[in-house]
Amino acid sequence: MTKVAGLFGWPVEHSLSPGMQNAAFAAAELDYTYVPFAVPPARLAEAVQAIRALGLVGANVTIPHKIEVMQYLDEITENARRIGAVNTIVNQNGYLIGHNTDGDGFIHSLREQAVAVVGRQILMLGAGGAARAVAAGLLAAGCSKVIVAARALERAQELTQHFTGMPVEAQLWSDLDESGLLQKTDILINATPLGMSPHTDQMPSINWELLNPTAVICDLVYNPLVTQFLRYASQRGHKVITGEGMLAGQGALAFQLWTGKTAPFSIMLSAVQQHFPIF
Ligand code: NAP
């Protein structure tokens, strides 16, 4: 019998996950299907209950349900708890476990591009939900330090407080030049929406003259695939990592949790890439 994984969001019409997951199931010759469900916030509890009632293998959870859904699950992984959100539910015979694959999805995309994380110093621009997930992934993967820079120091501190005892520091973005941190950065990540369509001419402001010339530059924004930030970094000779790898990576890890099989990452990446302009 066909196994079903769902996507709970509100709205869900524009999600790329159905195309990505169904392409992966087909490529892996698995009798699974992935179905988007538009779940109004007031009906989230019922939708979670339906995973058990209908025997879904699990579900992805997207905006606006990622935090709210946690109260309806039987178990939350330590990683998802640290990130403060769940993006993947796994149904183990009616016992629902909440995972978060966003941060590890980012690490997955770095590995695919042969970018090492162990011992590397990271500078993260932005301190929202995506930054928190990526910080969790980087710290778990063994980076030496994550510096979280935000335009308000309190916002960066709000993030770092979730990683007590780990090598993570809050930094005021406007003080970066004097901090000496740009020179020490091995991996620089844009975790703000700057540059996202339709504002494709925007990019995070940093002093490129001070930045370590061998730093790898990553953008979490994936629409467009190559942002102004990455285009400029590339012109300056930096290796760049585009945002769609994280999207495909989080999907690949969800696929693995539901099926127990290695995901066909390149198929998932192509499914995502088809949807976006290069610029
Ligand atoms: P969020 O929770 O709204 O956080 C956005 C962060 O960016 C906040 O820290 C915000 O600062 C900062 N920011 C916004 N505009 C800024 C500006 N003009 N200058 C400086 N900082 C600014 O959003 P999110 O969920 O973390 O997502 C951030 C971006 O990541 C999204 O736009 C999306 O493109 C991308 N993303 C990608 C993936 C993927 O799979 N590749 C997954 C999730 C998200 P304040 O707190 O001061 O407002």
Side-chain angles (χ1 to χ4, degrees):
M1 202 168 73
T2 304
K3 294 185 173 165
V4 180
L7 168 66
F8 295 171
W10 181 256
V12 279
E13 289 76 21
H14 303 295
S15 172
L16 303 182
S17 292
M20 179 171 72
Q21 293 292 354
N22 284 319
F25 291 145
E29 298 183 355
L30 291 170
D31 189 11
Y32 280 63
T33 191
Y34 185 96
V35 184
F37 296 103
V39 177
R43 308 205 69 175
L44 181 60
E46 288 171 78
V48 173
Q49 191 55 25
I51 297 176
R52 299 184 180 95
L54 303 175
L56 270 59
V57 293
N60 276 142
V61 185
T62 188
I63 293 167
H65 302 315
K66 283 179 158 191
I67 298 170
E68 205 62 28
V69 76
M70 296 172 83
Q71 63 189 300
Y72 305 122
L73 304 176
D74 299 307
E75 187 180 326
I76 309 286
T77 64
E78 195 188 330
N79 177 48
R81 206 174 286 287
R82 187 165 284 130
I83 293 170
V86 158
N87 79 335
T88 303
I89 300 170
V90 176
N91 181 6
Q92 286 186 350
N93 302 316
Y95 184 81
L96 302 184
I97 305 174
H99 297 255
N100 193 310
T101 63
D102 283 334
D104 291 339
F106 176 74
I107 302 300
H108 194 287
S109 77
L110 290 187
R111 290 208 179 107
E112 288 288 324
Q113 299 290 321
V115 175
V117 172
V118 176
R120 301 298 169 98
Q121 181 153 321
I122 319 291
L123 176 57
M124 182 105 68
L125 304 173
R132 186 164 158 191
V134 166
L138 289 161
L139 290 161
C143 69
S144 66
K145 197 188 279 185
V146 179
I147 314 286
V148 180
R151 54 187 171 181
L153 184 61
E154 308 79 60
R155 187 85 160 107
Q157 286 166 336
E158 267 172 41
L159 190 158
T160 57
Q161 73 182 2
H162 297 289
F163 299 93
T164 314
M166 299 174 120
V168 54
E169 282 173 21
Q171 169 70 37
L172 184 61
W173 189 328
S174 55
D175 284 353
L176 272 177
D177 288 8
E178 300 78 49
S179 68
L181 291 166
L182 288 163
Q183 294 88 336
K184 292 185 194 153
T185 297
D186 298 309
I187 301 177
L188 172 66
I189 303 168
N190 174 33
T192 78
L194 286 163
M196 191 165 71
S197 179
H199 306 292
T200 53
D201 55 335
Q202 296 182 348
M203 63 187 253
S205 163
I206 59 143
N207 189 334
W208 294 89
E209 299 303 323
L210 296 180
L211 183 66
N212 172 7
T214 66
V216 175
I217 315 297
C218 311
D219 208 325
L220 302 191
V221 172
Y222 51 77
N223 182 16
L225 287 181
V226 182
T227 57
Q228 181 77 6
F229 186 53
L230 293 191
R231 199 169 286 270
Y232 186 71
S234 188
Q235 281 164 8
R236 292 188 65 95
H238 292 276
K239 181 179 175 84
V240 301
I241 304 290
T242 55
E244 85 277 13
M246 174 174 167
L247 190 64
Q250 62 77 29
L253 296 174
F255 176 104
Q256 283 166 213
L257 286 168
W258 295 323
T259 67
K261 307 247 186 300
T262 302
F265 180 74
S266 58
I267 300 274
M268 301 179 87
L269 195 58
S270 317
V272 172
Q273 285 169 337
Q274 282 167 16
H275 284 83
F276 295 113
I278 293 293
F279 193 63

